[in-house]
Amino acid sequence: ALHYKGLWARTIGSKSTYLVDSIIATMCLACAVIYSGILGDVFTPLLESAGVPAHLNGRTSNILLLTIGALLPMSLIKNLSALAFTSILGFMAIMYTVFFILWRSLDGTYTLNIGKFVQDGAVALPSFAKSSLWNVDFTSLVLASNLGLAYIAHYNGPAFYRELKNTSSKRFGAMVGVSFTILTLLYIVTMVAGYKTFGDTCAGNILLNYHPSDILSTIGRIATGFSILFGFPLVATGAREGIAGFFDGLGYPSVKAEKNHVLLV
């Protein structure tokens, strides 16, 4: 099978394939909302630092402008291989952000009472009052949720398989193994370094914890913003294919026709 619908049909039955497509579409649409929120969180402070007046620099308006000017055009791309170059740029941006978070956890600039970026009260002070190696409570559900999203079977997995050069089960398996090994290391390094720096005061978006005058964090925000921009079309593709597959499973195959491509996006 070259898509999740085919796997579902083989293992469970063809009559309910719309269920797996609806799940993928819902998850991708939710991810799109999360991505949009992160873009608003990242670019609004950056524009403020650049001197853009407050009445022209609203979070909601920035998200709308980014959606119309960048996210929509990139999401109209049909072939994911066309995003290979931007994917490389996005990966480089992620690597820089991981490096800077790790560096700041080691250089002492956010150390409580003595760090140069915690002296003026502009950022939340690091706190480790709740720190415990084995503590499990309701806040642990946040970690469980993040891990679930981080290690989920990718919604575009079938598309990656189809578009992989000289594709085969063996080559695809090797690619997945290497990719998840790299991702696991990146996740562990980032989580440990972020918590080591800020402890209990870590924000949902760790970049919001860093001082506005911290040039490394500013570059990190820019890098993260562009990595989200470059990654958004992947989410849009998953949502588009999920919606089209959902209606196809309900007996409306015409929804995925070429003429409906823009409407689905």
Side-chain angles (χ1 to χ4, degrees), residues 96 100 110 207 210-212 214-222:
Y96 168 81
F100 122 74
Y110 286 89
L207 295 176
Y210 293 93
H211 199 283
D214 184 349
I215 186 62
L216 292 185
S217 73
T218 299
I219 298 174
R221 290 187 180 98
I222 295 173

Side-chain angles (χ1 to χ4, degrees), residues 47-119:
L47 292 174
E48 181 181 357
S49 300
V52 177
H55 66 281
L56 297 176
N57 187 32
R59 181 175 181 271
T60 302
S61 60
N62 288 337
I63 291 175
L64 290 175
L65 288 173
L66 285 169
T67 300
I68 296 171
L71 299 181
L72 177 59
M74 289 193 296
S75 297
L76 289 171
I77 297 174
K78 300 176 184 178
N79 191 338
L80 294 181
S81 61
L83 299 171
F85 178 69
T86 55
S87 295
I88 293 174
L89 293 179
F91 179 72
M92 292 173 61
I94 291 173
M95 290 303 298
Y96 168 81
T97 304
V98 173
F99 169 78
F100 122 74
I101 292 175
L102 178 60
W103 180 262
R104 283 296 185 236
S105 72
L106 299 173
D107 69 357
T109 52
Y110 286 89
T111 301
L112 189 63
N113 298 325
I114 61 174
K116 72 174 184 177
F117 289 124
V118 298
Q119 302 299 319

Side-chain angles (χ1 to χ4, degrees), residues 145-162:
S145 176
N146 287 333
L147 292 177
L149 182 61
Y151 297 109
I152 196 170
H154 204 286
Y155 39 84
N156 284 325
F160 294 153
Y161 179 85
R162 295 194 300 267

Side-chain angles (χ1 to χ4, degrees), residues 127-186:
S127 172
F128 299 91
K130 298 179 181 179
S131 179
S132 173
L133 185 60
W134 301 109
N135 181 56
V136 177
D137 54 24
F138 283 110
T139 59
S140 303
L141 296 176
V142 177
L143 175 61
S145 176
N146 287 333
L147 292 177
L149 182 61
Y151 297 109
I152 196 170
H154 204 286
Y155 39 84
N156 284 325
F160 294 153
Y161 179 85
R162 295 194 300 267
E163 297 178 14
L164 179 66
K165 185 177 181 181
N166 299 323
T167 187
S168 68
S169 297
K170 184 177 181 180
R171 280 177 54 79
F172 185 73
M175 181 196 71
V176 171
V178 172
S179 299
F180 269 79
T181 299
I182 295 173
L183 288 174
T184 300
L185 292 174
L186 292 178

